[in-house]
Amino acid sequence: MSVTVDGDKTSSVPVRVRRILNGPAPEKVPSLIGTGCALIGLVDIAAGVFPRFRASRVHALAEVLPGTLGPLSAAVSLSAGVLLLLLAHGLKRHKRRAWRAVVLLLPLGAVAQFVWRHSILGSLLSLGLLALLLRHRDQFAALPDPRSRWRALANFVVMGAGSLALGLVVVSAHPRRVVGDPSLTDRLEHVLLGLFGIEGPVAYTHGVDWTVGYSLGALGMLTALTTLYLALRPEHPAARLTGEDETRLRALLDRHGDRDSLGHFALRHDKGVVFSPSGKAAVCYRVVSGVMLASGDPIGDVEAWPGAIERFMDEARAHSWTPAVMGCSETGGQVWTRETGLDALELGDEAVIDVDAFSLSGRAMRNVRQMVKRIERNGYTTRVRRVRDLSGAELDVVRRAAGAWRGTDTERGFSMALGRIGAPGDGDAVIATAHLADPGGSPAESPHGDLKAMIHFVPWGPDGMSLELMRRDRSADPGMNELLIVAALQAAPALGIRRVSLNFAMFRSALARGERIGAGPVLRLWRGLLIFLSRWFQIESLYKFNAKFQPRWEPRFVVYRTGRDLPRIGLAAMQAEGFLSLALPRPFARRRPARAPRPCAHVVPPRTGREHEARTA
């Protein structure tokens, strides 16, 4: 079956088929070169540190490698080994700058071999590797990753710690040449001073002082130079949604926003975007730890999806990023896999409620019905309105309450969170709020007045809305989320809403099948593992919460390149969603004081995004 790309009949062959016809790209050469650099780096480090290794038979091979040169072989070997280890990963990722660095270092290594050791074999080895890199230079064209000044500080911390540890090994690698019996404190002081080029308290015989001194000085200089380079190089910030991009995306959502409940989340300002050649479709993404994460289906006309997907893959190849898609629909997964040759794996199910079919009557809805009635008897009232119908003062109270009730300093959410409330252009969003006045009828004494809970929905086309945020005061009665969801569903017909998307339940089908009679041992084991992981991640609680409202389940998929990429994609997704943070600690950040919950309420700190506040018995 042919697929028309942006109306171009000449591009009707899927991308995967076109790649097969054109022949496979030689992707293994950079990986092999990177692996070789890493191995040579380890050999150079070992040759520079351990004297017995330098006198062994393995050293006969190590001597012809760049870095083992003359009387300064230990220091140069250590420096070369560390640099090769740093460059190996860049070569594996096809990085152009890593290729340039190696191309500059190899001629210097060849000259050093000839000048210091008069080694023709070592010079030829360096020149041969240089010729190999020049021959395959077209495979090292990846552009730089997003970066900031924090990279320099991270390099200083990591390189400093590594230099300190490696320096201790260098100082302790000559036990027969040490004068006296220096303590660990003396060795550590010798390393710290040696990194700055200052002679320390440890003394050696037979000229080992020069070897240790040059080695420590080389490590210190390498740490300083790499940190200085990272601090002074120009920043390459991550892609951000510009005003023009947002205008174009909103135009696409106005015409095709009803296709995907996650479409409106493409308007997050911390996402980049690539458009199809015709501009009729777009893919939004964020780069996290070298993974190019897209979320949901492409935006726009389905006929133009392949063009946007191809632009997405071109961008991933240009930077050597790992492409991945989180939470796409079945239709989106079919298009992604057909056009790119990627694989898809079911990730979970999205709970969707048809408003016309929703009712609190019946045995299946008894628990929800009883909870809502109990909360209403306690004096809680609800209001459901479009964001544009809220006054500026009311919107300000909602924003301040949502920030105060967040519970953590990290704003969570990526694929199913917008990250803002009441921004210009988001007037069609829906906010449901719960209020509780004191017995005298006046607002309760609280920084947020009588506001006790709120949920925020974003538009899903002209007749739908998608749950984005749930927050509540910890002092409020349990069941606020159920109360507000029911209130929103009951008010939906008056707002012209016919369908509502609730939370996304990961591995919902495995949990549901695993608890049925006759489930096999493998399925029961998988369900048990998911329940165990639910202690830290809301897997089972989200499924049970969604199931209360008797929704229909729409499967969602993750699209990936190979099975080896799945762990990396999973870590990147957790970072993007805010569950895992690799940022540097902020020791002076102000901590929000914790308040003890009411004894009668079983409360867990609230989550952000499309997540449920789990209640434990």
Side-chain angles (χ1 to χ4, degrees):
M1 181 180 67
S2 63
V3 179
T4 303
V5 181
D6 290 349
D8 185 2
K9 296 297 183 181
T10 61
S11 302
S12 60
V13 181
V15 174
R16 179 173 56 179
V17 177
R18 293 202 300 270
R19 289 179 181 171
I20 294 175
L21 294 177
N22 295 332
E27 298 287 343
K28 293 185 178 180
V29 174
S31 179
L32 293 176
I33 293 177
T35 302
C37 283
L39 294 177
I40 292 174
L42 293 175
V43 171
D44 281 350
I45 291 175
V49 173
F50 302 104
R52 293 184 179 180
F53 179 80
R54 293 200 302 272
S56 66
R57 294 181 179 180
V58 181
H59 184 59
L61 175 62
E63 282 184 340
V64 301
L65 300 176
T68 55
L69 310 173
L72 301 178
S73 61
V76 177
S77 182
L78 279 176
S79 302
V82 173
L83 287 175
L84 287 175
L85 287 177
L86 293 176
L87 293 171
H89 183 63
L91 290 178
K92 288 184 177 182
R93 297 187 58 202
H94 307 244
K95 291 300 181 181
R96 188 68 175 180
R97 291 190 175 182
W99 178 86
R100 290 174 179 172
V102 175
V103 167
L104 290 176
L105 287 173
L106 286 177
L108 295 177
V111 173
Q113 285 280 7
F114 183 76
V115 172
W116 287 99
R117 298 189 65 254
H118 308 288
S119 173
I120 299 178
L121 180 60
S123 300
L124 291 178
L125 180 62
S126 300
L127 294 177
L129 184 57
L130 175 63
L132 183 64
L133 285 173
L134 292 175
R135 171 176 171 77
H136 297 282
R137 61 183 179 274
D138 57 331
Q139 298 186 36
F140 298 91
L143 300 176
D145 290 342
R147 57 178 181 261
S148 66
R149 296 288 186 260
W150 288 105
R151 184 71 180 272
L153 181 58
N155 176 83
F156 177 77
V157 173
V158 174
M159 286 290 293
S163 298
L164 183 62
L166 192 56
L168 285 174
V169 176
V170 171
V171 171
S172 305
H174 309 271
R176 298 182 180 180
R177 300 289 188 265
V178 178
V179 177
D181 186 18
S183 63
L184 179 61
T185 304
D186 294 333
R187 296 174 189 268
L188 182 60
E189 181 182 356
H190 191 86
V191 172
L192 291 174
L193 293 175
L195 293 177
F196 291 94
I198 304 174
E199 186 177 355
V202 181
Y204 299 89
T205 61
H206 297 84
V208 177
D209 300 77
W210 293 96
T211 302
V212 174
Y214 279 128
S215 298
L216 295 178
L219 290 175
M221 184 175 61
L222 193 62
T223 301
L225 291 178
T226 54
T227 302
L228 187 64
Y229 166 75
L230 294 175
L232 296 181
R233 68 176 180 173
E235 293 191 23
H236 188 75
R240 291 291 186 267
L241 204 65
T242 64
E244 181 183 356
D245 293 336
E246 184 175 351
T247 300
R248 296 177 65 183
L249 286 174
R250 287 187 183 276
L252 293 177
L253 288 172
D254 290 340
R255 293 192 295 268
H256 309 283
D258 59 338
R259 292 187 179 276
D260 187 13
S261 64
L262 308 186
H264 199 85
F265 300 118
L267 298 176
R268 284 181 64 101
H269 293 160
D270 57 359
K271 289 184 178 181
V273 60
V274 289
F275 290 90
S276 65
S278 66
K280 296 180 179 179
V283 175
C284 295
Y285 67 92
R286 185 197 294 177
V287 179
V288 181
S289 298
V291 178
M292 191 176 182
L293 279 174
S295 58
D297 293 343
I299 307 299
D301 188 358
V302 176
E303 293 296 325
W305 283 7
I309 291 174
E310 187 170 4
R311 286 284 180 87
F312 176 87
M313 297 300 294
D314 290 341
E315 188 77 6
R317 283 191 294 270
H319 294 268
S320 190
W321 291 330
T322 300
V325 185
M326 300 296 297
C328 65
S329 67
E330 187 170 2
T331 301
Q334 290 175 351
V335 178
W336 274 100
T337 55
R338 182 184 64 209
E339 297 299 322
T340 63
L342 302 178
D343 292 325
L345 179 68
E346 186 174 345
L347 187 62
D349 295 271
E350 177 187 12
V352 179
I353 298 178
D354 296 317
V355 174
D356 295 338
F358 177 77
S359 174
L360 283 178
S361 61
R363 183 177 180 85
M365 299 295 296
R366 181 180 60 181
N367 291 336
V368 176
R369 182 172 63 250
Q370 292 177 348
M371 179 175 293
V372 170
K373 295 297 184 182
R374 176 180 57 81
I375 297 176
E376 289 178 343
R377 287 195 299 268
N378 290 341
Y380 287 89
T381 59
T382 60
R383 301 182 65 184
V384 182
R385 293 165 290 174
R386 297 279 187 183
V387 169
R388 60 173 174 266
D389 296 330
L390 273 71
S391 65
E394 290 177 313
L395 191 58
D396 184 64
V397 171
V398 169
R399 288 170 177 165
R400 286 189 286 106
W405 297 339
R406 184 169 59 197
T408 62
D409 292 332
T410 302
E411 184 71 51
R412 293 180 175 175
F414 163 67
S415 57
M416 301 177 183
L418 189 61
R420 61 180 185 266
I421 299 176
D426 294 335
D428 288 338
V430 175
I431 288 184
T433 54
H435 306 265
L436 177 64
D438 64 9
S442 60
E445 293 183 2
S446 169
H448 316 299
D450 62 350
L451 182 64
K452 293 299 180 181
M454 55 83 62
I455 59 176
H456 183 229
F457 296 88
V458 298
W460 174 13
D463 60 351
M465 60 183 184
S466 185
L467 180 60
E468 189 265 340
L469 183 70
M470 295 189 295
R471 298 271 172 85
R472 72 181 183 90
D473 191 337
R474 296 187 183 185
S475 64
D477 292 344
M480 289 290 103
N481 293 330
E482 289 87 342
L483 172 68
L484 290 178
I485 288 178
V486 169
L489 291 172
Q490 292 175 341
L495 299 174
I497 303 298
R498 299 177 55 188
R499 51 185 179 170
V500 177
S501 171
L502 295 182
N503 298 293
F504 171 75
M506 292 185 61
F507 309 113
R508 196 275 315 176
S509 59
L511 291 171
R513 293 196 301 265
E515 62 184 0
R516 293 177 182 173
I517 298 178
V522 176
L523 190 57
R524 290 183 179 272
L525 180 63
W526 174 228
R527 180 178 179 272
L529 177 60
L530 293 177
I531 294 176
F532 175 76
L533 294 176
S534 296
R535 298 181 179 181
W536 297 275
F537 305 100
Q538 294 179 332
I539 299 176
E540 185 186 23
S541 60
L542 275 173
Y543 160 58
K544 291 185 175 181
F545 176 79
N546 293 333
K548 292 179 181 180
F549 303 95
Q550 303 299 310
R552 56 182 172 89
W553 300 101
E554 297 289 342
R556 291 281 175 172
F557 299 84
V558 55
V559 178
Y560 59 97
R561 186 167 51 189
T562 63
R564 296 189 302 271
D565 293 336
L566 283 176
R568 185 179 182 186
I569 293 172
L571 290 176
M574 292 178 66
Q575 292 180 59
E577 297 288 352
F579 291 103
L580 178 65
S581 177
L582 300 182
L584 294 175
R586 297 184 297 172
F588 300 105
R590 182 176 62 87
R591 294 186 177 182
R592 186 178 292 109
R595 291 184 298 173
R598 294 171 56 181
C600 60
H602 308 288
V603 180
V604 172
R607 304 291 186 184
T608 65
R610 296 150 60 92
E611 298 182 43
H612 169 52
E613 296 171 305
R615 292 187 296 114
T616 57

